[in-house]
Amino acid sequence: MDTEHITDVWDRVFATQPDPSFWLVVATAVVALAVMLPYSAWRISRNAITIAHEGGHGLVALLTGRKLDGIRLHSDTSGLTVSRGKPHGLGMVLTAAAGYTAPSLLGLAGAALLAAGHITALLWGATALLLAMLIMTRNAYGVLTVVLAGAAFFLVSWLTTAEVQAAFAYAVVWFLLLGGVRPPFEIQGKRRRSGGRVDSDPDQLARLTNVPAAVWLGFFHLVALCSLFGGGRWLLEL
């Protein structure tokens, strides 16, 4: 690959793209709601939230110095991230807290990129993150899910027009922001139905910190709603 070609790719990825129309932004929000609100659609689309959730656990585990053993994604949209290190302390707390906050925070970061006009950079950045996650995925269904997601981002960024890239990127970011709100409510309902006898992230955090699981659930709700509010304002240019 010659220097000129590398420069062309660099310019293509990091150049700014024109803002899409307001109605395209609104339409992509409606599409995100359509695949997030109905349970039949959510059963499938929730796989994307699980990827972000487990990827958040894995990324923070590495950033805090833990050894990441692997990530598993299951067809029922559950997942498992296994890391090694001290079973207590700040690193373990941050790793456990990263899952439910990751989709919303990724959506917020994506909204910031889109507001700055970096649509292609967002698509390539997502592709790179998915490739890194693929290396650590340890089951066949997880590999298939991550490969399909990564291929979608790459093909859209490389083969489609600027309008299609914008529509795809805005739909994904809206879905992360909106979809990040639902899982804390789901685990809250599951804990209520089981009388709190659930080995969930909030329960693990409660054992690590002696802070009640309900407080951690409130924190997850706060992060999701604040991210939706802030990211939505950026996307709608309010």
Side-chain angles (χ1 to χ4, degrees):
M1 184 180 295
D2 56 34
T3 304
E4 183 179 353
H5 186 65
I6 294 175
T7 303
D8 289 342
V9 173
W10 179 271
D11 290 341
R12 179 174 180 176
V13 173
F14 292 100
T16 58
Q17 289 79 41
D19 293 335
S21 70
F22 176 79
W23 293 111
L24 184 144
V25 177
V26 172
T28 54
V30 172
V31 170
L33 280 171
V35 298
M36 190 273 286
L37 287 178
Y39 180 71
S40 58
W42 178 244
R43 288 179 59 189
I44 300 173
S45 63
R46 197 185 190 284
N47 282 287
I49 298 297
T50 303
I51 290 174
H53 180 114
E54 301 303 332
H57 282 312
L59 178 61
V60 174
L62 291 174
L63 292 176
T64 56
R66 298 180 62 81
K67 179 177 176 55
L68 183 60
D69 284 344
I71 297 172
R72 292 178 176 271
L73 305 172
H74 304 132
S75 58
D76 63 355
T77 72
S78 66
L80 176 66
T81 299
V82 179
S83 64
R84 282 186 288 165
K86 290 195 302 182
H88 51 77
L90 181 61
M92 187 63 203
V93 171
L94 292 175
T95 298
Y100 279 102
T101 57
S104 296
L105 293 178
L106 285 172
L108 185 63
L113 283 173
L114 294 181
H118 292 295
I119 297 172
T120 304
L122 181 147
L123 297 175
W124 278 56
T127 304
L129 288 174
L130 288 164
L131 179 60
M133 186 172 177
L134 178 63
I135 296 172
M136 298 307 302
T137 303
R138 296 291 183 261
N139 66 322
Y141 182 83
V143 168
L144 176 63
T145 304
V146 175
V147 166
L148 289 176
F153 277 97
F154 176 76
L155 292 174
V156 168
S157 68
W158 193 254
L159 299 179
T160 64
T161 64
E163 291 78 11
V164 174
Q165 289 185 26
F168 182 80
Y170 273 81
V172 167
V173 170
W174 274 122
F175 179 75
L176 288 172
L177 291 171
L178 292 165
V181 174
R182 187 163 180 173
F185 283 103
E186 291 178 335
I187 194 62
Q188 184 175 350
K190 187 175 181 181
R191 294 186 76 256
R192 187 184 301 115
R193 290 190 298 270
S194 66
R197 295 185 297 276
V198 178
D199 190 20
S200 63
D201 290 355
D203 296 287
Q204 183 181 12
L205 286 162
R207 292 192 295 270
L208 288 168
T209 63
N210 292 320
V211 175
V215 175
W216 284 105
L217 273 170
F219 171 70
F220 295 153
H221 285 304
L222 182 64
V223 170
L225 293 173
C226 288
S227 297
L228 175 58
F229 178 76
R233 286 179 61 87
W234 281 337
L235 294 177
L236 295 169
E237 298 184 353
L238 299 179

